[in-house]
Amino acid sequence: MSDTTGDERITVYSDYVCPFCYLGRHSLIEYQDERDVDLVIDWHPFDLRAGKRNPDGSIDHDVDDGKDEDYYEQAKENVRRLQDEYDVEMDLALSRDIDSLAAQLASVRVRDEHDYDTWLDFDWAIFEALWTEGRDIGEPDVLADLAEDTGVDPETVRAALDDEALRERVRSLFDDAKRQGVSGVPTFAYDGYAARGAVPPEQLRRLVEGT
């Protein structure tokens, strides 16, 4: 397992079902391409479905979360604008029905057990599967396929989904994000400063380099 302890890091709070998190990662890639040395992504999961998830894990779409159809239409318009700005092809503009909890469990387990580059490939594969292929990243078979494609034993992912200790740990990570004051994603944090949203590469440069 590679050691990234001494590397320069950028903290990223995100949820796979957030289109702006996907677009924000494209922006981060653009900024990374300017740099001589990549920043290591210190990923912190965030749970956008928390208020709608039933005790059995299903999503209750009737829960009023304050987001009406006008909100979603505006969000779609913003996604399309950023797609053009960052030249990103997306199959979906929004994903209202898919739950990311399983994907986040799998991603934390892969990060725990594999080197950084393997986790990064798996993390990106989850984003791509949802946003460019329209696949349900809440399905164990989909996550197992993504694991195999990125050099991870699919059984590692399947086992993670049934691991109650891991589930509690991931819930605590969600709670930690809220305690840190994170109320929306993506949120990029560096050296005590933060930028929220799918901000452009130049804003990430200012965040990290102050220029």
Side-chain angles (χ1 to χ4, degrees):
M1 196 175 297
S2 61
D3 183 7
T4 62
T5 304
D7 294 328
E8 192 175 6
R9 311 170 81 84
I10 186 168
T11 300
V12 181
Y13 294 88
S14 67
D15 186 337
Y16 293 112
V17 294
C18 170
F20 300 103
C21 291
Y22 179 59
L23 290 160
R25 286 293 291 277
H26 273 279
S27 178
L28 180 57
I29 288 170
E30 284 191 38
Y31 170 55
Q32 296 269 43
D33 286 344
E34 301 176 3
R35 295 176 54 87
D36 294 329
V37 179
D38 277 355
L39 293 162
V40 169
I41 295 172
D42 182 16
W43 169 63
H44 287 246
F46 190 87
D47 190 11
L48 288 172
R49 300 287 192 254
K52 291 191 167 189
R53 192 177 295 111
N54 294 316
D56 65 357
S58 62
I59 299 297
D60 183 353
H61 299 290
D62 293 327
V63 171
D64 183 6
D65 59 1
K67 297 175 181 177
D68 58 14
E69 289 306 315
D70 288 342
Y71 168 88
Y72 286 112
E73 283 305 313
Q74 183 62 54
K76 287 179 183 178
E77 185 177 324
N78 290 337
V79 168
R80 287 190 286 266
R81 175 180 58 80
L82 288 169
Q83 278 184 257
D84 292 340
E85 186 174 333
Y86 298 156
D87 193 23
V88 176
E89 293 291 332
M90 292 173 68
D91 184 63
L92 299 175
L94 289 178
S95 175
R96 296 169 65 175
D97 300 327
I98 293 174
D99 190 8
S100 64
L101 180 58
Q104 302 202 68
L105 290 167
S107 191
V108 170
R109 175 57 55 82
V110 170
R111 184 176 63 177
D112 285 348
E113 297 191 356
H114 291 268
D115 60 69
Y116 172 74
D117 289 335
T118 299
W119 169 77
L120 194 62
D121 287 345
F122 182 66
D123 169 77
W124 188 245
I126 296 171
F127 273 121
E128 292 270 271
L130 176 58
W131 295 110
T132 70
E133 301 168 24
R135 300 172 75 184
D136 185 348
I137 58 168
E139 288 294 325
D141 287 345
V142 171
L143 294 170
D145 286 346
L146 298 178
E148 188 167 25
D149 290 345
T150 53
V152 175
D153 183 348
E155 292 309 311
T156 296
V157 163
R158 293 187 186 278
L161 305 187
D162 295 324
D163 187 331
E164 283 304 317
L166 177 63
R167 193 171 293 261
E168 284 303 313
R169 183 170 148 231
V170 169
R171 287 196 187 105
S172 74
L173 291 174
F174 295 154
D175 292 339
D176 286 345
K178 291 179 180 178
R179 280 193 292 270
Q180 292 294 326
V182 177
S183 58
V185 286
T187 293
F188 301 91
Y190 184 89
D191 196 26
Y193 296 93
R196 179 176 160 185
V199 296
E202 54 268 26
Q203 190 166 340
L204 293 174
R205 186 188 316 115
R206 287 195 297 272
L207 175 67
V208 174
E209 302 173 25
T211 58

